[in-house]
Amino acid sequence: MLEDMLASSRPCRCSAALVAACALTVALPASAAETPGPSNAAPAPGTSASAPTTAGSAPTDRSTEPTVALQLAFVRWVADFRAGAKAAGITEATLAAAFDGAQYLPRVVELDRAQPEFTRTVWDYLDSAVSPTRVARGQDMLQQMRAPADAAAARYGVPPGVLVAIWGIESNFGDHTGNLPTIDALATLGFDGRRESWARGQLLAALKILQSGDITRAGMLGSWAGAMGQTQLLPSNFLAYAVDADGDGRRNIWSSVADAMASTANFLARAGWRAGEAWGVEVRVPPGFDVSRADPQVRQASASWAADGVKTVDGSVLPDFAESTIVLPAGARGPAFLAGPNFRAILRYNNAVSYALAVGLLAQRITGGPGVLAAWPRDLQALSRSQLLALQSALAARGFDNGTPDGVMGPATRDALRRYQRSVGLPADGFPTAELLQRLQQP
């Protein structure tokens, strides 16, 4: 019964006998709240759509604590944080608005700790992110929001199609912006402790947003990880990049499409977006191309790639990039792309190649361009988390160090897999497959 209560997605609330005590702890007056607490880290730089994993002190296992004890520990943490926030310049009025009645959200902890067993292939993701329905709606929304999109493009150099694509992928054009109170979600993450330093920084940033008057506490809603508004900015990124584009005196990324688009364009511009350049283009690599060169660290001018035999799929001239990389999102058997600096700017928004491809391709389709022309290797299946753990362990057993096995296909694992592929005469694309796992596990 206790486990069921703690696993509930409903916020923990104080029992009737402890309501007064909880209220006193959460809504402490300034004089009583000023007790020493852990120092608050500055807001961590991060991507917009998803919060980075920031290691802090080891999280306390709270799963066996009674609901009342959990709530009391949470309100003590809030009071402690509140004292530090006041020392950092947050007014008592803002603190009262933010923390009087603050709630611990068990569902946030559940989602933060979730480690999905099964993943999606890049083509499955793109089938959804760049579906015909989304393309058609994106084209319609571009026409509806042409004025604010054009204004943001003129000011920051980011094309309207890219802004509408990000809007569509992040919130389905404003339909799904998140409905969790950002203050409660971030306080829950900070209290849970798995990444307390990061959550403290984002929570302080959220308080600064409240203090600025851009949004009320009730209106500050978002995802479980703290991403907010139509284009899902984290609080620290809101402070750095949010713009009042409609001139109403508030930076409102929740209900103002003009503000959301301008804020996103500002983010990308300051992340290195180059006006007038494409994000990338689909290409063909020549026979015998060393696929290990499809690596973010291998950058060269478009002219150099052309000299190496790389060509666009439609025969047009390669975009003029001073620095560009070859991207093989499905390994040697799948489509290839030449990605320029603007692709890297999108990665600053969300550091996933599949996401950056989705934004670029959706923008391309919305503005009348083609989709992916080469065939995806749809006969391949994405490896599960357990299979990736087995792959990492098998690589290590054969002497290809890839760090501590974690079931995540990161740069270290990809590099180790490439080294193994070279050692057995296979194309070193670093793309994990069931066939490679089986081969690694053979005696």
Side-chain angles (χ1 to χ4, degrees):
M1 178 65 72
L2 175 60
E3 289 77 6
D4 292 340
M5 291 172 64
L6 293 177
S8 169
S9 61
R10 292 175 292 132
C12 287
R13 301 177 185 273
C14 296
S15 68
L18 290 173
V19 167
C22 288
L24 282 173
T25 311
V26 176
L28 286 173
S31 58
E34 293 175 350
T35 55
S39 61
N40 186 58
T47 60
S48 172
S50 59
T53 299
T54 302
S57 57
T60 302
D61 182 2
R62 307 184 190 278
S63 61
T64 59
E65 294 186 40
T67 301
V68 169
L70 185 70
Q71 182 71 4
L72 284 173
F74 174 68
V75 294
R76 283 194 295 269
W77 185 95
V78 168
D80 204 33
F81 179 87
R82 181 171 177 158
K86 183 175 182 181
I90 304 301
T91 66
E92 185 57 38
T94 300
L95 292 170
F99 293 127
D100 288 359
Q103 294 181 351
Y104 171 81
L105 306 178
R107 179 62 174 161
V108 167
V109 176
E110 180 184 338
L111 290 168
D112 184 50
R113 295 186 179 184
Q115 298 287 353
E117 172 63 12
F118 298 102
T119 58
R120 301 172 72 183
T121 61
V122 63
W123 51 91
D124 283 340
Y125 171 73
L126 292 175
D127 286 347
S128 173
V130 195
S131 67
T133 299
R134 180 165 284 168
V135 170
R137 189 170 180 210
Q139 292 170 335
D140 181 56
M141 297 306 293
L142 178 58
Q143 294 308 310
Q144 290 186 40
M145 300 298 170
R146 174 61 75 176
D150 283 350
R155 184 174 179 180
Y156 298 105
V158 182
V162 171
L163 299 175
V164 171
I166 290 175
W167 184 32
I169 292 170
E170 291 291 351
S171 69
N172 197 30
F173 310 105
D175 289 349
H176 306 295
T177 58
N179 59 5
L180 291 177
T182 299
I183 296 295
D184 293 341
L186 291 171
T188 297
L189 289 171
F191 166 69
D192 181 59
R194 189 176 77 84
R195 42 181 173 166
E196 182 178 7
S197 177
W198 176 86
R200 278 178 169 270
Q202 294 298 331
L203 183 54
L204 182 62
L207 293 178
K208 291 178 180 179
I209 296 169
L210 286 182
Q211 189 155 288
S212 72
D214 287 306
I215 193 72
T216 64
R217 189 201 198 278
M220 186 185 282
L221 303 174
S223 75
W224 65 266
M228 310 177 302
Q230 307 243 350
T231 53
Q232 295 289 280
L233 288 174
L234 288 169
S236 60
N237 286 333
F238 180 102
L239 289 179
Y241 308 112
V243 174
D244 173 23
D246 59 16
D248 68 352
R250 296 183 301 125
R251 299 170 294 175
N252 181 1
I253 62 172
W254 292 268
S255 59
S256 170
V257 174
D259 288 5
M261 285 192 173
S263 300
T264 300
N266 186 29
F267 183 111
L268 291 173
R270 292 173 62 182
W273 188 276
R274 299 188 184 182
E277 286 192 9
W279 64 270
V281 65
E282 187 179 356
V283 296
R284 289 194 182 95
V285 297
F289 179 78
D290 179 4
V291 292
S292 69
R293 297 181 66 202
D295 185 286
Q297 303 307 314
V298 179
R299 299 179 186 178
Q300 60 185 37
S302 301
S304 297
W305 288 117
D308 292 337
V310 176
K311 300 179 180 180
T312 62
V313 292
D314 63 3
S316 61
V317 177
L318 290 176
D320 185 14
F321 297 139
E323 280 192 343
S324 53
T325 59
I326 298 294
V327 178
L328 298 176
R333 287 183 52 198
F337 302 87
L338 183 68
N342 290 343
F343 188 83
R344 295 194 292 275
I346 299 170
L347 287 172
R348 289 283 301 277
Y349 204 85
N350 184 316
N351 193 29
V353 168
S354 56
Y355 176 88
L357 275 175
V359 169
L361 291 168
L362 181 57
Q364 196 167 286
R365 294 290 310 282
I366 286 173
T367 54
V372 179
L373 300 180
W376 294 102
R378 293 182 181 272
D379 57 304
L380 299 179
Q381 299 293 318
L383 295 190
S384 68
R385 183 177 177 83
S386 297
Q387 287 174 312
L388 284 173
L389 279 167
L391 179 88
Q392 291 168 327
S393 297
L395 283 168
R398 287 180 176 266
F400 299 98
D401 180 52
N402 59 103
T404 303
D406 59 2
V408 176
M409 194 66 192
T413 304
R414 198 171 305 281
D415 177 68
L417 185 55
R418 281 176 171 157
R419 286 185 278 118
Y420 166 72
Q421 288 172 314
R422 286 193 197 98
S423 74
V424 294
L426 295 173
D429 60 5
F431 187 74
T433 65
E435 182 181 358
L436 274 174
L437 174 59
Q438 186 178 26
R439 184 165 183 163
L440 275 163
Q441 291 178 322
Q442 291 175 349

